[in-house]
Amino acid sequence: MQLDPKQFKTPEQWRAQLTPQEYHVLREAGTERPFTGEYTDTQTKGTYYCKGCGAKLFTSDTKFESHCGWPSFFMPETDSVRYIEDKSLWQTRTEVRCATCDSHLGHVFTGEGYDTPTDRRYCINSICLVLEPETAR
């Protein structure tokens, strides 16, 4: 069976790697409930990686408090994400996916008035991320 390079695992392989909730969010574009994610309020310094493939996605230097219920970042690592127009629900949004494994991460919003360098809010599901804390030097 020929697999799309962005989806380098079969659904069965993904299900074996991920919990049912992780699979729902990362592979079926689901969403975790607001204010329940592990990284929503964390202020730990470090790097955030994709739970699906381990690709570097965000750093804590770009995380900010938006009080929206999910971790918010103003900028991803260069070329780490890709964007898809999402017309689900009642509006058009921009979905954010891992550029390496095509896992759904969340959405990005612009023009909300946050005091960030990019005026963007990457609203990312905690369940899609793995935080590697900075080591003490």
Side-chain angles (χ1 to χ4, degrees), residues 7-74:
Q7 297 174 345
F8 55 89
K9 295 180 183 179
T10 65
E12 293 77 22
Q13 290 170 318
W14 281 115
R15 286 184 193 281
Q17 174 186 332
L18 304 170
T19 68
Q21 182 63 22
E22 290 168 349
Y23 185 88
H24 175 64
V25 175
L26 277 83
R27 306 313 303 165
E28 299 175 327
T31 301
E32 65 188 343
R33 290 189 344 259
F35 301 103
T36 62
E38 179 179 3
Y39 304 124
T40 301
D41 296 320
T42 187
Q43 296 180 3
T44 302
K45 295 290 185 192
T47 303
Y48 292 86
Y49 295 90
C50 176
K51 186 165 279 179
C53 68
K56 184 177 181 181
L57 299 172
F58 300 94
T59 65
S60 59
D61 294 336
T62 66
K63 188 174 187 291
F64 69 100
E65 293 296 327
S66 69
H67 308 287
C68 70
W70 294 272
S72 296
F73 303 87
F74 60 81

Side-chain angles (χ1 to χ4, degrees), residues 7 15 18 20-32 70 82 84-89 93-98 102-107 123 125 127-128:
Q7 297 174 345
R15 286 184 193 281
L18 304 170
Q21 182 63 22
E22 290 168 349
Y23 185 88
H24 175 64
V25 175
L26 277 83
R27 306 313 303 165
E28 299 175 327
T31 301
E32 65 188 343
W70 294 272
R82 69 183 194 94
I84 298 174
E85 185 177 89
D86 177 359
K87 292 187 176 186
S88 66
L89 301 177
R93 302 177 296 170
T94 303
E95 180 184 358
V96 179
R97 289 186 170 253
C98 175
D102 201 41
S103 287
H104 169 79
L105 303 172
H107 291 84
C123 184
N125 291 284
I127 204 166
C128 301

